[in-house]
Amino acid sequence: MSGTERVSMIRERLSNALAPISIDIVDDSHKHAGHPGARAGGGHFNVRVVSAAFEGKSLIERHRLVYAALGDAMRAEIHALSIDAKTPAEAS
Amino acid sequence: MDVMERIKQQVEGNPIVLYMKGTPQMPQCGFSSRAAQALQACGVEFAHVNVLADPEIFENLPRYADWPTFPQLYIGGELVGGCDITLELYQKGELQSMTKAAAQKAKAS
C-alpha cells in the first residue's frame, strides 16, 4: 500500500467510526527512513481528529477509540501514529 | 516464567515503568525518547524496559493492556498511555503529580 493509499484508508476508517468534524492526517514516514520500524514497511502518521465521540472521555479512552477504528491496520500498514484527539469544544 | 506474568511483575513491582525502544540514555526511537525526557523532567526515578533487547516482551506487550504501540508508560500498575498522552499530561502538569504520588506511595509501602 502506498503512503497516499494509507492516508485514504486511515481517513475512511476514522470517518466511519468517529463521525468526526475534521480529520487532518500527515504522512511523516519520510522522516523515519532508515529507522528499523520504517524498514519493516509500516508508515508513520500524525492524525488530528475532532469528534463529539471524545466528549467525557479520558486521553487513554480517546486513543483506544482511534486504535479500535483503525483495527488491523495498526499492525500492518501503520508503524507509528501520533494522535491528537479533541472534542469540538476543545478544538474551537 | 510466562511472558505475561513477567510483564505483570514489572508493572506491579515498580511504581513507574516505561517500556521503550532503547534506553533513556540511548533511545532508539523519537517517540520513546520524548516520553523518557518528559519523565526525566518530572524528577522522579522510573524503571525502563528496552523492548528491543527483549523480543518476547516486544511481541507480547501490545496484548498485555491492548495497546498497539511503543512506548508504553505504566504508573501504579496501570497503563497511562504512549508518547502523545505522556507529553500531553506533562504539559498540563498532571504527569508531575501522578509520578510523585506513585513514588511516594511506593516508598510508604
Side-chain angles (χ1 to χ4, degrees):
Chain A
M1 199 181 272
S2 74
T4 317
E5 286 168 334
R6 284 180 178 146
V7 169
S8 313
M9 180 268 298
I10 293 170
R11 184 178 301 281
E12 189 184 324
R13 291 191 179 190
L14 294 180
S15 300
N16 290 341
L18 300 170
I21 291 168
S22 72
I23 304 183
D24 292 302
I25 305 167
V26 177
D27 185 347
D28 262 347
S29 304
H30 64 282
K31 289 190 193 163
H32 304 272
H35 165 298
R39 279 201 294 276
H44 285 64
F45 302 91
N46 279 302
V47 298
R48 179 179 161 86
V49 188
V50 180
S51 167
F54 300 134
E55 304 272 6
K57 299 251 181 345
S58 69
L59 290 173
I60 195 162
E61 289 168 331
R62 294 177 188 196
H63 284 229
R64 283 195 193 282
L65 284 174
V66 171
Y67 289 141
L70 295 172
D72 59 1
M74 278 311 300
R75 288 196 301 276
E77 301 294 339
I78 302 170
H79 167 69
L81 185 68
S82 185
I83 301 169
D84 183 11
K86 293 274 188 288
T87 64
E90 289 164 350
S92 63
Chain B
M1 196 191 312
D2 173 61
V3 61
M4 292 313 228
E5 189 58 34
R6 209 147 63 82
I7 295 170
K8 189 167 186 284
Q9 288 195 357
Q10 287 169 343
V11 302
E12 292 181 354
N14 293 286
I16 306 164
V17 191
L18 181 66
Y19 288 89
M20 64 182 292
K21 293 183 175 174
T23 64
Q25 293 73 32
M26 286 274 277
Q28 301 290 315
C29 158
F31 296 98
S32 288
S33 172
R34 288 195 285 280
Q37 279 172 7
L39 276 177
Q40 283 171 326
C42 291
V44 293
E45 279 188 34
F46 61 96
H48 72 269
V49 176
N50 177 1
V51 298
L52 297 178
D54 194 327
E56 210 183 28
I57 290 199
F58 182 83
E59 280 296 311
N60 290 284
L61 184 66
R63 285 199 293 131
Y64 181 78
D66 189 27
W67 192 262
T69 54
F70 302 104
Q72 295 191 17
L73 173 64
Y74 289 78
I75 297 181
E78 296 285 329
L79 175 68
V80 172
C83 172
D84 296 317
I85 291 180
T86 302
L87 294 187
E88 203 165 327
L89 290 172
Y90 177 74
Q91 278 152 12
K92 288 181 181 168
E94 291 176 25
L95 190 67
Q96 294 83 328
S97 47
M98 289 165 73
T99 51
K100 282 205 174 70
Q104 276 167 6
K105 198 175 157 203
K107 229 179 234 172
S109 66

